[in-house]
């Protein structure tokens, strides 16, 4: 079945929240503190992201199957890295809040969603893509490595237990 990514719409909000709620539960089951204790995605956050044009959904089998945000940098949390970024630190896009429908997890949909966001960033003339994840989120680390991202160091996000592994992809 074909999957494609498009900008999220307000009518997608309930499906987005179902998926992010599943992701919060899944991360907890993996003993990851990521998105726990009130740090998970909220309706207000995604409503704003949709209105700002930075929220995207993956459509699979004619349903919203994944969600993420693609945000132009710079991003304050990425300024101080325990490590170093490659290239021009002022011109990049960041991918955040990636989640896939838990009922169809394991079919490569997260990889498809991230691939599509990389293509969208490239179409906007960005060649530097960044993403972060918790050190216990082995699944996301595997997905970003498969897409060619390289580990650059640790960043501190403005959330409880906010230390995250930061990855970067430089496109030609």
């Amino acid at each position: 079945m074909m999957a494609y990514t498009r900008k999220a719409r307000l009518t997608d909000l309930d499906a987005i929240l179902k998926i992010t709620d599943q992701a919060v539960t899944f991360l907890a089951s993996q003993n990851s503190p990521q998105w726990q204790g009130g740090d998970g995605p909220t309706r207000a956050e995604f409503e704003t992201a949709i209105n700002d044009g930075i929220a995207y959904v993956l459509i699979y089998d004619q349903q919203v199957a994944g969600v993420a945000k693609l945000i132009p940098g710079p991003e304050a949390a990425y300024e101080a890295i325990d490590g170093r970024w490659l290239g021009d630190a002022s011109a990049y896009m960041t991918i955040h809040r990636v989640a896939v429908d838990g009922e169809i997890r394991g079919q490569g949909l997260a990889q498809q969603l991230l691939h599509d966001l990389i293509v969208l960033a490239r179409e906007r003339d960005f060649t530097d893509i960044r993403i972060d994840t918790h050190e216990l989120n082995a699944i996301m680390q595997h997905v970003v490595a498969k897409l060619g991202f390289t580990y650059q160091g640790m960043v501190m996000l403005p959330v409880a237990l906010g230390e995250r592994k930061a990855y970067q992809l430089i496109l030609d």
Side-chain angles (χ1 to χ4, degrees), residues 52-74:
D52 290 348
I54 60 171
Y56 290 84
V57 290
L58 179 75
I59 305 298
Y60 176 76
D61 196 18
Q62 302 175 358
Q63 303 289 323
V64 173
V67 63
K69 296 192 310 187
L70 181 64
I71 306 167

Side-chain angles (χ1 to χ4, degrees), residues 70 93 116-129 171-172:
L70 181 64
M93 292 198 98
D116 291 352
L117 294 176
I118 292 164
V119 170
L120 289 167
R122 186 68 186 102
E123 287 173 354
R124 293 180 174 171
D125 294 326
F126 285 90
T127 57
D128 185 337
I129 318 295
L171 303 171
D172 293 329

Side-chain angles (χ1 to χ4, degrees), residues 137-150:
N137 193 339
I139 294 171
M140 184 56 68
Q141 292 173 46
H142 175 74
V143 171
V144 299
K146 280 180 75 171
L147 288 164
F149 283 84
T150 57

Side-chain angles (χ1 to χ4, degrees), residues 63-123:
Q63 303 289 323
V64 173
V67 63
K69 296 192 310 187
L70 181 64
I71 306 167
E75 183 169 332
Y78 280 29
E79 294 299 310
I81 183 170
D82 182 8
R84 88 178 180 81
W85 297 112
L86 306 172
D88 179 359
S90 65
Y92 61 89
M93 292 198 98
T94 308
I95 299 171
H96 284 298
R97 298 299 206 192
V98 178
V100 171
D101 187 332
E103 296 171 18
I104 52 175
R105 185 180 294 117
Q107 297 185 40
L109 296 175
Q111 185 173 338
Q112 179 68 52
L113 174 59
L114 291 179
H115 171 269
D116 291 352
L117 294 176
I118 292 164
V119 170
L120 289 167
R122 186 68 186 102
E123 287 173 354

